[in-house]
């Protein structure tokens, strides 16, 4: 596919030459970049794919984009085209923006280029053009398959004119996405230091992936409930600022000009002008200096020297940071403390870890509301009848998902080689370090999260569920340790993300579903028959605590031989 | 010293600031063909900045830099074509194979595919890597990547070669090979600009040693000339000219930290 793409692109080589680029160099750079794209795993889609050697990322990207395109067809179930297209463009633009941000920011800010291409005799026009064309190719690989299903559907349902207009509006929508992402990048770069840039981008990625997840899980549910039409949408003033409505208006104005009220005409016009205005804005005001700032991400800038605080070296102990205080309090022995502290610190600073783990905390409430909305009746009825249900059990055990993600990801890092220190240090059993790591995940991430979940539960169901929350917490912690026992058999941050951690995937999947499911069902059954104050609850609490203690002690003794290499 | 008229690299009154911090403070240099220049200095002295200016990576400096009679500001492309640069941080597109990577680099220097192919095969063979030509470099050891990097910097037969810690990661045999390559290339009339912290290597390979400290040149001459100034080994000379305090004191402090 790349060869074919390259041929199409290079068909315009006389134009590039006139723009001042060296055509041979341009072809070489693009060729190489496309090969590298093919071998780079896709960040947005297969986060958990741990293939040894990635070969055909672009083909995967095209197929996935096509699938996404099919999903967007859902929006045409809406009663009219004004609303339907608004929804369609919301899906299209959010998907495009997300994939662009997560897959392409690495390409756009490839610091290696500074070292590899810049010292070579390549002029700046060639470099700039190669960047633009590279971005263009990448976009085409996504946008064309993603818009194909919609185009075909509309061309059949409405007619060829409708399809043609949709193609135009999709083009504008793509422009709008590029503008929004550019504006976002440039704003961040203007406001924040270059060093913080990648951090901020990764946070944006986390938020975005949660948003998409929520959109796909909750969107159709909500839609099933709200039979909204375009007219309803227009009745709400705040809807007028939604750019996707402008795009939808543009399509409707061009295809059914006589049936639209004046406001749709106006919004259509805005939709036509905005992308161009946006691109002009970026070029005129935001872009100057962008490259220079990007350049300073890698080469050139000497890191600012920090003032050395006077306490250092004099042997005076400063105030202990909170994590060290906690560490001394919960852990037994320095090995466990070191495992706890290193996991606490690195998990908060590693972009990789945050990208993998943080979204799962947001998935819990999303799953929960997905279940709630799945019940019969209208939205408000469902919400109103919630206190009479036992859904809090579901909420409690769903939260184990977040903990499992945190625990199973402590072992991964892109700086996995630094983990040699664990093996060089005189640690008696790795179990102690690992136990510290699990405790760090519990204390730093899970318990605060669980407190928030508890607050929500008490808000909905009242204080009568406190006992359930306590029992649930112990059970979920038990589950966490069981997962650690089966799964976490590598030192913290010691494995590259490409390594699959042994012990059969299928088996692991079963455990993740079965254990909390069984415990949760048991909990549900008990509470179905008995009140929270029943002594049976106390018996189970004691039982669970004993089990936690057992698994924990056993895990803490894990010998070197059990560790996976 | 015999005065040559045709300096290959000429640097006049070079200043460079990062914000308020001055990193290069009036550097003046003339370098002649066929020489190996050992460019040394402590961390943060301005070595990399000089190299980045010479390779055209940094263009906002004060003063004049000319290479082979061409001004760096106006002829950076022509100059880049004459330079082979082997950077220190060993950045490389490691999802590519050496064959693919070297083909990419060669084409950026305007070489044709057949020449690239032939040189790649012969040079990699000399480094004992002919069996790995078509393996992706992400599995390579540091030494193997370094060999590819060295090849990528020399393949287009440059007249000026700028090496920044080129021996890092190489095994003892490869070090001998690379050192021998350098002296052969210098004999052919190429200019070699060699940055390193390995004083014993610099002492042996360099025709001339330039020592910079805090952005300024503090010594410039042959090893024997520097010896006459201060101390018998380059290590001592280095310490004498750049160490701000008694280095034995530092060692004392360090070891005494065990006592409480």
């Amino acid at each position: 596919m790349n060869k074919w793409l390259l041929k199409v692109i290079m068909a315009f080589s006389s134009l590039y030459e006139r723009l001042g680029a060296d055509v041979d160099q341009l072809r070489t750079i693009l060729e190489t970049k496309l090969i590298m794209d093919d071998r780079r795993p896709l960040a947005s889609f297969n986060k958990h794919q741990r293939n040894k050697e990635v070969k055909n990322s672009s083909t995967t990207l095209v197929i996935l984009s096509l699938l996404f395109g099919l999903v967007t067809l859902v929006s045409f179930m809406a009663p009219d085209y004004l609303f339907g297209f608004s929804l369609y463009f919301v899906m299209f633009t959010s998907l495009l923006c997300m994939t662009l941000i997560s897959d392409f920011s690495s390409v756009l800010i490839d610091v290696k280029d500074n070292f590899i291409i810049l010292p070579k005799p390549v002029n700046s026009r060639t470099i700039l053009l190669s960047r633009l064309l590279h971005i263009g190719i990448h976009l085409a690989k996504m946008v064309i398959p993603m818009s194909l299903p919609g185009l075909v559907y509309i061309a059949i349902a409405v007619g060829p004119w409708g399809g043609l207009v949709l193609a135009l509006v999709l083009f504008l929508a793509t422009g709008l996405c590029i503008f929004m992402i550019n504006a976002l990048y440039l704003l961040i770069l203007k406001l924040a230091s270059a060093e913080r840039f990648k951090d901020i981008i990764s946070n944006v990625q986390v938020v975005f992936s949660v948003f998409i997840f929520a959109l796909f899980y909750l969107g159709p549910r909500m839609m099933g409930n709200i039979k909204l039409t375009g007219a309803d949408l227009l009745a709400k003033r705040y809807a007028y600022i939604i750019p996707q409505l402008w795009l939808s208006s543009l399509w409707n104005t061009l295809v059914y000009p006589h049936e639209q009220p004046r406001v749709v005409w106006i919004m259509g016009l805005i939709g036509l002008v905005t992308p161009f205005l946006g691109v002009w804005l970026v070029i005129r005001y935001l872009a100057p200096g962008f490259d220079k700032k990007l350049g300073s991400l890698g080469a050139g800038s000497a890191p600012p020297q920090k003032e050395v605080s006077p306490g250092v070296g004099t042997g005076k102990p400063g105030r202990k940071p909170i994590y060290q205080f906690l560490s001394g309090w919960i852990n037994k022995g320095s090995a466990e403390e070191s495992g706890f502290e290193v996991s606490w610190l690195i998990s908060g600073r590693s972009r990789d870890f945050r990208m993998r783990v943080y979204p799962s905390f947001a998935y819990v409430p999303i799953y929960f509301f997905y279940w709630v909305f799945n019940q019969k009746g209208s939205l408000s009825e469902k919400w109103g009848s919630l206190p009479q249900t036992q859904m809090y059990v579901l909420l409690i055990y769903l939260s184990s998902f977040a903990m499992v993600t945190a625990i199973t990801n402590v072992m991964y890092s892109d700086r996995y080689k630094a983990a040699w220190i664990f093996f060089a240090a005189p640690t008696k059993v790795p179990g102690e370090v690992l136990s510290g790591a699990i405790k760090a995940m519990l204390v730093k991430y899970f318990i605060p999260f669980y407190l928030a979940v508890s607050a929500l539960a008490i808000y909905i169901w009242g204080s009568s569920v406190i006992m359930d929350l306590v029992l649930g917490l112990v059970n979920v912690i038990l589950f966490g340790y069981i997962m650690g026992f089966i799964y976490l058999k590598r030192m913290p941050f010691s494995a590259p993300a490409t390594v699959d951690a042994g012990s059969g995937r299928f088996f692991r999947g079963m455990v993740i579903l079965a254990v909390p499911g069984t415990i949760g069902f048991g909990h549900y059954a008990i509470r179905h028959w008995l009140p929270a104050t029943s002594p049976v609850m106390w018996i189970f609490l004691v039982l669970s605590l004993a089990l936690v203690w057992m698994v924990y002690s056993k895990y803490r003794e894990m010998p070197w031989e059990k560790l996976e290499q | 010293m015999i005065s040559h008229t045709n300096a290959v690299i000429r640097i006049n009154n070079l200043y460079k600031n990062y914000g308020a911090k001055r990193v290069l403070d009036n550097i003046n240099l003339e370098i002649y063909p066929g020489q190996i220049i050992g460019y040394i200095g402590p961390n943060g002295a301005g070595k990399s900045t000089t190299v980045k200016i010479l390779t055209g990576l940094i263009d906002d400096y004060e003063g004049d830099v000319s290479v082979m009679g061409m001004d760096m500001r106006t002829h950076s492309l022509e100059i880049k074509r004459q330079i082979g640069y082997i950077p220190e941080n060993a950045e490389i597109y490691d999802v590519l194979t050496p064959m693919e990577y070297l083909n990419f680099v060669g084409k950026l220097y305007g070489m044709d595919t057949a020449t690239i192919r032939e040189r790649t095969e012969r040079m990699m063979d000399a480094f004992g890597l002919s069996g790995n030509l078509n393996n992706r470099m992400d599995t390579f050891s540091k030494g193997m990547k370094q060999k590819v990097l060295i090849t990528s910097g020399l393949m287009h037969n440059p007249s000026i070669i700028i090496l920044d810690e080129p021996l890092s990661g190489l095994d003892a045999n490869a070090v001998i090979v690379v050192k021998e390559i350098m002296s052969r290339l210098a004999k052919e009339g190429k200019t070699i600009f060699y940055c390193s912290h390995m004083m014993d290597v610099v002492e042996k390979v360099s025709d001339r040693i330039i020592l910079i400290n805090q952005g300024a040149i503090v010594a410039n001459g042959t090893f024997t000339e520097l010896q006459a100034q201060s101390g018998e080994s380059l290590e001592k000379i280095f310490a004498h000219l750049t160490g701000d305090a008694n280095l034995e004191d530092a060692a004392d402090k360090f070891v005494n930290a065990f006592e409480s």
Side-chain angles (χ1 to χ4, degrees), chain B residues 21-47:
Chain B
K21 197 181 169 230
R22 170 148 291 180
V23 268
L24 291 182
D25 192 2
N26 195 13
I27 299 271
N28 287 285
L29 261 187
E30 282 186 355
I31 293 167
Y32 300 98
Q35 283 191 332
I36 300 182
I37 306 295
Y39 196 60
I40 57 177
N43 291 327
K47 289 193 308 292

Short mmCIF file of all heavy atoms in Angstrom, two decimals, chain B residues 21-47:
data_model
loop_
_atom_site.label_atom_id
_atom_site.label_comp_id
_atom_site.label_asym_id
_atom_site.label_seq_id
_atom_site.Cartn_x
_atom_site.Cartn_y
_atom_site.Cartn_z
N LYS B 21 22.58 32.61 30.04
CA LYS B 21 23.80 31.85 30.29
C LYS B 21 24.70 31.85 29.06
O LYS B 21 24.29 31.48 27.97
CB LYS B 21 23.43 30.42 30.68
CG LYS B 21 24.57 29.70 31.35
CD LYS B 21 24.20 28.27 31.70
CE LYS B 21 25.43 27.52 32.11
NZ LYS B 21 25.57 26.25 31.43
N ARG B 22 25.94 32.25 29.26
CA ARG B 22 26.90 32.25 28.14
C ARG B 22 27.57 30.89 28.08
O ARG B 22 28.18 30.45 29.06
CB ARG B 22 27.92 33.35 28.40
CG ARG B 22 29.09 33.31 27.45
CD ARG B 22 29.61 34.69 27.17
NE ARG B 22 28.65 35.47 26.37
CZ ARG B 22 28.87 36.72 25.99
NH1 ARG B 22 29.97 37.33 26.33
NH2 ARG B 22 27.97 37.37 25.27
N VAL B 23 27.41 30.19 26.95
CA VAL B 23 28.04 28.87 26.85
C VAL B 23 29.32 28.89 26.03
O VAL B 23 30.22 28.10 26.28
CB VAL B 23 27.08 27.80 26.27
CG1 VAL B 23 26.36 27.10 27.38
CG2 VAL B 23 26.13 28.38 25.28
N LEU B 24 29.39 29.79 25.05
CA LEU B 24 30.64 29.93 24.32
C LEU B 24 31.08 31.38 24.43
O LEU B 24 30.31 32.30 24.17
CB LEU B 24 30.45 29.54 22.84
CG LEU B 24 30.22 28.05 22.57
CD1 LEU B 24 30.11 27.82 21.07
CD2 LEU B 24 31.31 27.19 23.16
N ASP B 25 32.33 31.57 24.82
CA ASP B 25 32.79 32.90 25.15
C ASP B 25 34.04 33.21 24.33
O ASP B 25 35.15 32.89 24.73
CB ASP B 25 33.09 32.94 26.67
CG ASP B 25 33.29 34.35 27.16
OD1 ASP B 25 33.16 35.28 26.34
OD2 ASP B 25 33.57 34.51 28.35
N ASN B 26 33.81 33.79 23.17
CA ASN B 26 34.91 34.20 22.30
C ASN B 26 35.85 33.05 21.93
O ASN B 26 37.00 33.02 22.33
CB ASN B 26 35.70 35.34 22.95
CG ASN B 26 36.59 36.02 21.92
OD1 ASN B 26 36.42 35.81 20.71
ND2 ASN B 26 37.53 36.82 22.39
N ILE B 27 35.32 32.14 21.12
CA ILE B 27 36.14 31.03 20.64
C ILE B 27 36.79 31.44 19.32
O ILE B 27 36.12 31.95 18.41
CB ILE B 27 35.26 29.78 20.40
CG1 ILE B 27 34.57 29.33 21.69
CG2 ILE B 27 36.05 28.66 19.75
CD1 ILE B 27 35.35 28.36 22.51
N ASN B 28 38.11 31.23 19.22
CA ASN B 28 38.82 31.48 17.97
C ASN B 28 39.64 30.23 17.64
O ASN B 28 40.40 29.76 18.47
CB ASN B 28 39.76 32.68 18.11
CG ASN B 28 38.98 33.97 18.13
OD1 ASN B 28 38.49 34.43 17.10
ND2 ASN B 28 38.82 34.55 19.33
N LEU B 29 39.45 29.73 16.42
CA LEU B 29 40.07 28.46 16.08
C LEU B 29 40.39 28.41 14.61
O LEU B 29 39.65 28.93 13.78
CB LEU B 29 39.09 27.32 16.36
CG LEU B 29 39.18 26.49 17.63
CD1 LEU B 29 38.20 25.36 17.52
CD2 LEU B 29 40.59 25.98 17.84
N GLU B 30 41.53 27.76 14.29
CA GLU B 30 41.80 27.45 12.89
C GLU B 30 42.24 26.00 12.82
O GLU B 30 43.11 25.58 13.57
CB GLU B 30 42.88 28.36 12.33
CG GLU B 30 42.35 29.74 11.99
CD GLU B 30 43.39 30.61 11.31
OE1 GLU B 30 44.54 30.18 11.19
OE2 GLU B 30 43.03 31.73 10.90
N ILE B 31 41.60 25.26 11.94
CA ILE B 31 41.92 23.84 11.85
C ILE B 31 42.32 23.50 10.43
O ILE B 31 41.68 23.95 9.47
CB ILE B 31 40.72 22.99 12.32
CG1 ILE B 31 40.51 23.23 13.81
CG2 ILE B 31 40.95 21.52 12.06
CD1 ILE B 31 39.21 22.73 14.33
N TYR B 32 43.40 22.73 10.29
CA TYR B 32 43.98 22.47 8.97
C TYR B 32 43.75 21.03 8.54
O TYR B 32 43.60 20.15 9.38
CB TYR B 32 45.47 22.82 9.00
CG TYR B 32 45.66 24.26 9.36
CD1 TYR B 32 45.96 24.63 10.67
CD2 TYR B 32 45.46 25.26 8.40
CE1 TYR B 32 46.08 25.96 11.02
CE2 TYR B 32 45.57 26.58 8.75
CZ TYR B 32 45.88 26.93 10.05
OH TYR B 32 45.97 28.25 10.38
N PRO B 33 43.74 20.80 7.24
CA PRO B 33 43.43 19.45 6.73
C PRO B 33 44.47 18.43 7.17
O PRO B 33 45.64 18.76 7.42
CB PRO B 33 43.44 19.63 5.21
CG PRO B 33 44.11 20.92 4.95
CD PRO B 33 43.90 21.77 6.15
N GLY B 34 44.04 17.19 7.28
CA GLY B 34 44.94 16.10 7.61
C GLY B 34 45.25 15.99 9.08
O GLY B 34 46.12 15.24 9.48
N GLN B 35 44.55 16.76 9.90
CA GLN B 35 44.82 16.72 11.34
C GLN B 35 43.70 16.02 12.10
O GLN B 35 42.53 16.10 11.71
CB GLN B 35 44.94 18.15 11.89
CG GLN B 35 46.25 18.81 11.56
CD GLN B 35 46.42 20.09 12.35
OE1 GLN B 35 45.46 20.74 12.71
NE2 GLN B 35 47.67 20.44 12.62
N ILE B 36 44.08 15.38 13.18
CA ILE B 36 43.07 14.91 14.12
C ILE B 36 43.10 15.86 15.31
O ILE B 36 44.12 16.02 15.96
CB ILE B 36 43.36 13.48 14.60
CG1 ILE B 36 43.37 12.51 13.40
CG2 ILE B 36 42.31 13.04 15.62
CD1 ILE B 36 43.61 11.07 13.78
N ILE B 37 41.97 16.52 15.52
CA ILE B 37 41.88 17.49 16.61
C ILE B 37 41.17 16.82 17.78
O ILE B 37 40.05 16.34 17.65
CB ILE B 37 41.05 18.71 16.18
CG1 ILE B 37 41.60 19.33 14.89
CG2 ILE B 37 40.99 19.75 17.29
CD1 ILE B 37 42.97 19.89 15.02
N GLY B 38 41.82 16.79 18.91
CA GLY B 38 41.15 16.29 20.11
C GLY B 38 40.48 17.46 20.81
O GLY B 38 41.16 18.40 21.23
N TYR B 39 39.17 17.42 20.90
CA TYR B 39 38.45 18.56 21.49
C TYR B 39 37.92 18.10 22.84
O TYR B 39 37.02 17.27 22.91
CB TYR B 39 37.32 18.96 20.54
CG TYR B 39 36.72 20.32 20.80
CD1 TYR B 39 37.51 21.46 20.74
CD2 TYR B 39 35.37 20.46 21.08
CE1 TYR B 39 36.96 22.71 20.96
CE2 TYR B 39 34.81 21.71 21.30
CZ TYR B 39 35.62 22.84 21.23
OH TYR B 39 35.07 24.07 21.45
N ILE B 40 38.50 18.60 23.91
CA ILE B 40 38.13 18.09 25.23
C ILE B 40 37.73 19.22 26.17
O ILE B 40 38.00 20.39 25.92
CB ILE B 40 39.29 17.29 25.87
CG1 ILE B 40 40.55 18.15 25.98
CG2 ILE B 40 39.57 16.03 25.08
CD1 ILE B 40 41.70 17.45 26.67
N GLY B 41 37.09 18.82 27.25
CA GLY B 41 36.66 19.80 28.24
C GLY B 41 35.69 19.13 29.18
O GLY B 41 35.12 18.09 28.84
N PRO B 42 35.51 19.69 30.38
CA PRO B 42 34.58 19.07 31.33
C PRO B 42 33.13 19.15 30.85
O PRO B 42 32.83 19.85 29.88
CB PRO B 42 34.77 19.90 32.61
CG PRO B 42 35.49 21.12 32.21
CD PRO B 42 36.16 20.87 30.93
N ASN B 43 32.24 18.44 31.52
CA ASN B 43 30.82 18.48 31.16
C ASN B 43 30.32 19.91 31.23
O ASN B 43 30.62 20.63 32.17
CB ASN B 43 29.99 17.63 32.12
CG ASN B 43 30.26 16.15 31.93
OD1 ASN B 43 30.53 15.71 30.81
ND2 ASN B 43 30.21 15.40 32.99
N GLY B 44 29.55 20.31 30.22
CA GLY B 44 28.97 21.64 30.24
C GLY B 44 29.94 22.73 29.84
O GLY B 44 29.64 23.91 29.98
N ALA B 45 31.11 22.36 29.31
CA ALA B 45 32.09 23.38 28.94
C ALA B 45 31.73 24.06 27.63
O ALA B 45 32.21 25.16 27.36
CB ALA B 45 33.48 22.76 28.83
N GLY B 46 30.90 23.42 26.82
CA GLY B 46 30.53 24.01 25.54
C GLY B 46 30.96 23.17 24.35
O GLY B 46 30.87 23.62 23.21
N LYS B 47 31.42 21.95 24.62
CA LYS B 47 31.86 21.09 23.52
C LYS B 47 30.73 20.80 22.54
O LYS B 47 30.86 21.03 21.34
CB LYS B 47 32.38 19.74 24.05
CG LYS B 47 33.70 19.80 24.77
CD LYS B 47 34.27 18.41 24.98
CE LYS B 47 33.32 17.42 25.62
NZ LYS B 47 32.99 17.71 27.02
#
